[in-house]
C-alpha cells in the first residue's frame, strides 16, 4: 500500500523533523532531489542539460525557496536559470541570495514573457501545501504564457493539496516532484500532476498511519483469490448475480461475465435474462428468480433490475440472506428512495455501495462536491457500508474510516456497461471472503487496469473490458513476482 497524508499531518511531521535537523537541511534535501528531476526532464526533452534554459516561477513561501535552491544546483550543471519573483520582497531570502551568487538571473514580471517563451522547462514554485484556491491573477497570467513542460514543486499550484479540486486557473505539470510523502492531490488530481516523483527527505518515521491509501499491484496480487490444489468451485466462493431484464440483458451479461473472468469460483445468475446469460456464459448456473437461486457466499444486485416493486422485492430478499452484498445501479436508487428496504439487512452483513455522482446525490441529498474523500466517508458512515464513489478517481471509504483512492489510467472507463463489470468484480471478491473495503479497492484497481489494456484496442467497449480481465490479472501477478 502506498500511504497518502493530508497536509495537516505532513506539517505536524515536518515540525518534528525540522526540530531535529540543522537549519536549511530539509530544503537542501528537497531542492537537490528537485534539481535532479528538472535535469532529467531537460535531458529527455532536449537531449542535454548544460546550456539549456530553465525559468523558475517563484512565490513567496518555501515552495518558491525550493525552486530557487534547485536553480542553484542547476547552475552548477551549466543550466541558464532565470527566476521570476511574484512577490520580490517576500521571496525566500537565502535561496534568492544563493541563486544570485551562482549566476542565476532575476527577471521582473514585466520582462518575463520573453524568458518564458524561450524556456526548455518551467519550474512551478508558486505555492505549495500552505496555499488554497486557484492561482491569483498575476500568477495565472504568467502560467498562461507557458508552453514548455512544467515541473511542479511539491504540487501543481492552484490545485487544492487536500482534495485535488481545481476551481480556477492552475498549473498543469508534466512532472510533480514532491517531498517526504504523497499528499491527496497526487492521487486525486493525476491529470494536473503528470508523473509524480517522491523525494525522500527523512519524513516517513515522523508520520503516523496514512489518511488515505492506494493499492499497489503487489497488494492486489496478494489478496486476489488464486485457486490452490485443495480448492474446488465451492471453496473459491459462489457469487450470485441479480441483474438485467429480458429487454435489457446487457447488464446481466456483463456483470456475470466479469465475475466468471475474475476468479475460479462459481457464478449463479438469477433474473429475467437467464437464457441470454446461459448462452453467453455456459459455465453459469442461471435461474429465473432470486428465490430459487441456491446458496451463494455473496450477492451482486442492481444493474438493470429496475427501480419498481419487483426490484425492491429482489433487493429485500437478497439483503436478508446474511451474506455480503454489493448493491449497484438500480439497487442504489431503490435504497435512496425507499431506505426501509435496508431493514431487511442484518447489521453484521457487509454492504458495498457503488454510486456515481448522480446516485450519490440521491443517497445523500447533495452532490459529492469537491472533497470527494469526505463525501465517500460521510456516505459510508450514514449507510454503515463500504462506499465506492465512482468518478475520474474512484474513492473507496469504509465505515471504520479507511479510505482508498484508485488513480485512473486514462479516462475511457466512462463507457456504458463499465459499472456492471466493476460490480461483478466486487461481487466475486466478496464471495471469496475478502474484507469488503479491500474487495472494492482491489476490484477498482483491476477494473482500471483491464480498462487500460482494453483501450489498446480502440474503440473499446464494456465487453472488451470483460475480455481484458484475465490479462490484467496476469499482469498483476507478474508485477508482484
Ligand atoms: N516545511 C518544511 O520542512 C519543508 C517545506 N518544503 C516546501 O515548503 C512548501 C510549503 O511552504 P510554505 O508553508 O512556506 O507555503 P507555500 O510555499 O505553500 O506558500 C504559501 C504562501 O503563498 C501565498 N499564497 C497563499 N495562497 C495563494 C494563492 N492562491 N496564490 C498565490 N499565493 C498564495 C501565501 O501568502 C503564503 O505566503 C512545501 O510545499 C514544500 O515545497 C520543502 O522545502 C520541504 C521541507
Ligand atoms: K508548486
Amino acid at each position: 500500500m502506498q500511504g497518502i497524508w493530508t497536509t495537516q499531518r505532513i506539517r505536524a511531521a515536518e515540525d518534528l523533523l525540522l526540530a531535529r535537523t540543522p537549519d536549511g537541511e530539509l530544503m537542501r534535501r528537497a531542492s537537490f532531489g528537485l534539481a535532479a528531476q528538472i535535469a532529467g526532464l531537460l535531458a529527455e526533452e532536449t537531449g542535454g542539460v548544460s546550456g539549456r534554459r530553465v525559468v523558475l516561477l517563484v512565490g513567496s513561501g518555501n515552495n518558491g525557496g525550493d525552486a530557487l535552491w534547485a536553480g542553484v544546483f542547476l547552475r552548477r550543471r551549466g543550466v541558464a536559470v532565470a527566476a521570476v519573483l511574484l512577490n520580490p520582497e517576500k521571496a525566500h531570502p537565502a535561496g534568492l541570495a544563493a541563486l544570485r551568487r551562482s549566476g542565476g538571473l532575476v527577471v521582473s514580471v514585466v520582462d518575463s514573457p520573453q524568458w518564458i517563451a524561450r524556456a526548455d522547462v518551467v519550474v512551478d514554485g508558486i505555492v505549495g501545501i500552505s496555499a488554497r484556491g486557484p492561482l491569483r491573477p498575476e500568477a495565472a497570467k504568467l502560467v498562461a504564457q507557458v508552453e514548455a513542460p512544467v515541473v511542479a514543486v511539491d504540487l501543481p499550484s492552484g490545485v487544492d493539496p487536500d482534495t485535488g479540486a481545481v476551481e480556477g486557473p492552475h498549473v498543469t505539470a508534466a512532472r510533480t516532484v514532491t517531498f517526504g510523502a504523497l499528499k491527496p492531490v497526487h492521487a486525486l488530481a493525476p491529470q494536473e500532476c503528470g508523473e509524480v516523483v517522491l523525494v525522500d527527505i527523512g519524513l516517513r518515521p515522523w508520520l503516523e498511519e496514512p489518511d488515505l491509501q492506494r493499492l499497489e499491484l503487489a497488494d492486489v496480487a496478494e489478496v486476489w483469490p488464486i485457486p490452490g490444489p485443495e480448492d474446488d468451485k465451492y471453496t473459491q466462493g459462489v457469487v450470485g448475480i441479480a441483474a438485467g431484464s429480458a429487454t435489457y440483458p446487457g447488464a446481466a451479461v456483463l456483470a456475470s461475465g466479469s465475475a466468471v473472468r475474475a476468479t475460479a469460483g462459481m457464478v449463479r445468475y438469477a433474473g429475467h435474462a437467464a437464457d441470454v446469460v446461459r448462452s453467453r456464459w455456459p459455465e453459469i448456473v442461471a435461474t429465473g428468480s432470486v428465490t430459487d437461486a441456491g446458496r451463494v457466499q455473496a450477492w451482486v444486485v442492481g444493474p438493470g433490475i429496475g427501480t419498481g416493486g419487483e426490484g425492491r422485492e429482489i433487493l429485500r430478499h437478497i439483503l436478508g440472506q446474511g451474506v455480503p452484498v454489493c448493491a449497484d445501479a438500480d439497487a442504489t436508487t431503490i435504497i435512496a428512495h425507499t431506505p426501509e428496504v435496508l431493514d431487511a439487512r442484518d447489521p453484521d452483513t457487509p454492504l458495498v455501495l457503488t454510486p456515481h455522482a448522480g446516485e450519490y446525490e440521491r443517497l445523500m441529498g447533495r452532490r459529492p462536491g469537491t472533497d470527494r474523500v469526505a463525501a465517500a466517508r460521510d456516505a459510508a458512515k450514514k449507510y454503515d457500508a463500504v462506499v465506492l464513489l465512482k468518478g475520474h478517481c474512484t474513492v473507496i471509504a469504509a465505515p471504520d474510516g479507511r479510505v482508498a483512492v484508485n488513480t485512473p489510467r486514462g479516462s475511457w472507463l466512462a463507457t456504458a456497461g463499465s459499472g456492471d463489470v466493476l460490480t461483478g468484480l466486487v461481487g466475486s471478491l466478496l464471495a471469496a471472503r475478502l474484507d469488503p473495503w479491500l474487495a472494492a479497492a482491489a476490484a477498482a484497481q483491476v477494473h482500471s487496469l483491464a480498462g487500460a489494456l482494453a483501450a489498446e484496442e480502440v474503440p473499446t467497449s464494456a465487453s472488451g473490458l470483460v475480455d481484458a480481465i484475465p490479462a490484467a490479472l496476469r499482469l498483476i501477478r507478474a508485477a508482484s513476482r
Side-chain angles (χ1 to χ4, degrees), residues 151-176:
V151 173
V153 182
D154 212 5
L155 53 96
S157 302
V159 183
D160 191 282
D162 281 323
T163 66
V166 166
E167 292 177 283
H170 62 276
V171 167
T172 301
R175 186 172 293 177
T176 293

